[in-house]
Amino acid sequence: MAAINSLAGDNFLDRKIRFITLQVLMMLFLSINFLLIVTFFQKEYFHTTARYILFGVTLLSDSFMLFMTNILLIFIHFDCPAQGWLCIIICVVILLYVTVTPVTLTAMTLERYVAVCMPLRHGELCSTRNTMHGILIIHGLSSVPCIAIFSAIFVSASLSFYTKYWVCLLELILLQAWQHHLRSAVYQFLFLIMCIVILFSYTKVMKVARAASGEDKKSTQKGLRTVLLHGFQLLLCFIQMWCPFIDAAVLHVNYSLYEIVRFLNFVLFILAPRCLSPLIYGLRDEVFFHALKNVAYFALYKRNIM
């Protein structure tokens, strides 16, 4: 009995350490994103340029997704179940903004393709008005997986499902095995289309890079590296889609191992990419980097004065 109590105590301590670690990382990464968002809103130029507008969309969607996910983590850690209808709303919002980021990355890749391969039409095709329309299209496409997944839930769930209290996890409110398969199929199809778009853009930009010379070659090479960065970010997002299946497989082996694997998957493939990748992208861009540096210097100066 003493051994069982000791094991339970160790498990509780491990959960507490992991929770505190996640909260520290979440606050750190949300602070980084907040600094980038403040920088974005500081300059009017960023609000009228297509690639910066799309970059701002990724910052806002990632920050909102991390904030909502953290609320969910707090609910789960303190064993606070939520009614089915509230859990569905939270999961819809999180799933929507999980999808918005990779779709926006694909749109940013297309913007770089237009800038490098069709420079004379870039101003027309990537105008502020067209970019705003593009943001609406991005959210429309991103809502398709949510509609498909939660339509499947509505078809099979009884009325008591919406008033019953659940531990708010998407894996638990997907009641049937076919719903998990539908979720996997929808996301894999969506990511296949996005991968095709990125490969197409990369091939076209690479052809232009080979033919360019002088300053044009430097600009094209930079565009090529940007497309590669978007491809890498998309790969991390794709791995994130496989995390629930990895977690489920480990769960059948050992529960303690499952908690560790789930913690690592969350930090490596959900938390870190949504904060480090935007930071890297912002540092690579000279205009944004200088604006970011000014905001950081102003914050430090104000802190010293205080």
Side-chain angles (χ1 to χ4, degrees):
M1 180 67 88
I4 292 173
N5 289 335
S6 175
L7 185 63
D10 289 344
N11 189 43
F12 174 76
L13 184 62
D14 289 344
R15 283 187 65 195
K16 196 168 184 179
I17 290 171
R18 283 196 290 267
F19 177 74
I20 293 171
T21 303
L22 279 179
Q23 292 307 303
V24 171
L25 289 174
M26 193 73 79
M27 292 305 105
L28 173 64
F29 289 157
L30 280 174
S31 299
I32 292 171
N33 273 18
F34 178 73
L35 182 62
L36 293 169
I37 290 168
V38 169
T39 304
F40 172 76
F41 283 109
Q42 282 288 317
K43 296 282 185 181
E44 187 179 348
Y45 173 70
F46 296 149
H47 312 159
T48 56
T49 308
R51 75 172 185 269
Y52 293 120
I53 294 172
L54 294 173
F55 181 51
V57 170
T58 62
L59 290 174
L60 291 169
S61 65
D62 284 345
S63 299
F64 188 62
M65 191 277 290
L66 289 175
F67 178 75
M68 293 298 293
T69 304
N70 198 42
I71 291 175
L72 207 56
L73 283 172
I74 293 170
F75 279 8
I76 293 168
H77 180 76
F78 291 105
D79 295 324
C80 299
Q83 277 191 305
W85 64 269
L86 179 59
C87 187
I88 285 176
I89 291 172
I90 294 172
C91 288
V92 164
V93 172
I94 291 174
L95 272 183
L96 173 64
Y97 285 99
V98 161
T99 315
V100 162
T101 294
V103 177
T104 308
L105 288 173
T106 308
M108 291 172 77
T109 303
L110 285 174
E111 187 274 332
R112 287 294 85 197
Y113 159 72
V114 173
V116 173
C117 299
M118 294 185 286
L120 297 179
R121 299 198 61 196
H122 181 261
E124 175 193 348
L125 294 175
C126 300
S127 64
T128 304
R129 183 177 180 180
N130 286 344
T131 306
M132 293 303 176
H133 291 161
I135 292 170
L136 293 177
I137 294 170
I138 285 167
H139 281 76
L141 290 173
S142 301
S143 65
V144 170
C146 296
I147 293 169
I149 292 166
F150 288 100
S151 295
I153 293 174
F154 295 145
V155 166
S156 59
S158 62
L159 289 176
S160 62
F161 170 85
Y162 303 103
T163 55
K164 186 178 178 181
Y165 283 85
W166 298 80
V167 175
C168 197
L169 282 172
L170 182 60
E171 285 71 24
L172 295 180
I173 64 174
L174 292 176
L175 302 175
Q176 308 292 333
W178 66 268
Q179 293 171 346
H180 291 275
H181 297 321
L182 174 65
R183 176 192 177 193
S184 173
V186 168
Y187 274 109
Q188 287 187 52
F189 178 70
L190 184 63
F191 273 86
L192 176 64
I193 294 173
M194 289 188 284
C195 287
I196 290 171
V197 170
I198 285 184
L199 286 172
F200 167 80
S201 301
Y202 178 78
T203 304
K204 292 293 185 181
V205 172
M206 189 165 61
K207 285 182 180 178
V208 174
R210 286 178 177 175
S213 60
E215 290 297 322
D216 288 340
K217 192 173 185 67
K218 288 181 181 178
S219 176
T220 308
Q221 289 288 350
K222 189 174 181 180
L224 196 62
R225 289 193 294 271
T226 302
V227 173
L228 279 174
L229 176 61
H230 292 332
F232 178 68
Q233 289 175 288
L234 196 62
L235 175 64
L236 292 176
C237 293
F238 183 74
I239 293 171
Q240 178 198 332
M241 293 297 107
W242 280 94
C243 286
F245 303 102
I246 297 169
D247 295 344
V250 175
L251 180 60
H252 292 294
V253 178
N254 184 282
Y255 186 77
S256 297
L257 181 63
Y258 160 76
E259 287 193 330
I260 294 170
V261 169
R262 189 175 175 193
F263 170 77
L264 291 174
N265 281 342
F266 183 81
V267 172
L268 295 176
F269 300 119
I270 297 177
L271 195 57
R274 280 176 161 73
C275 299
L276 296 180
S277 294
L279 180 61
I280 293 167
Y281 185 85
L283 293 177
R284 285 182 69 251
D285 188 282
E286 291 181 12
V287 177
F288 196 89
F289 174 68
H290 285 302
L292 178 63
K293 194 164 60 172
N294 290 337
V295 170
Y297 281 165
F298 176 76
L300 289 172
Y301 176 75
K302 190 175 180 181
R303 183 180 175 185
N304 290 334
I305 292 297
M306 293 293 290

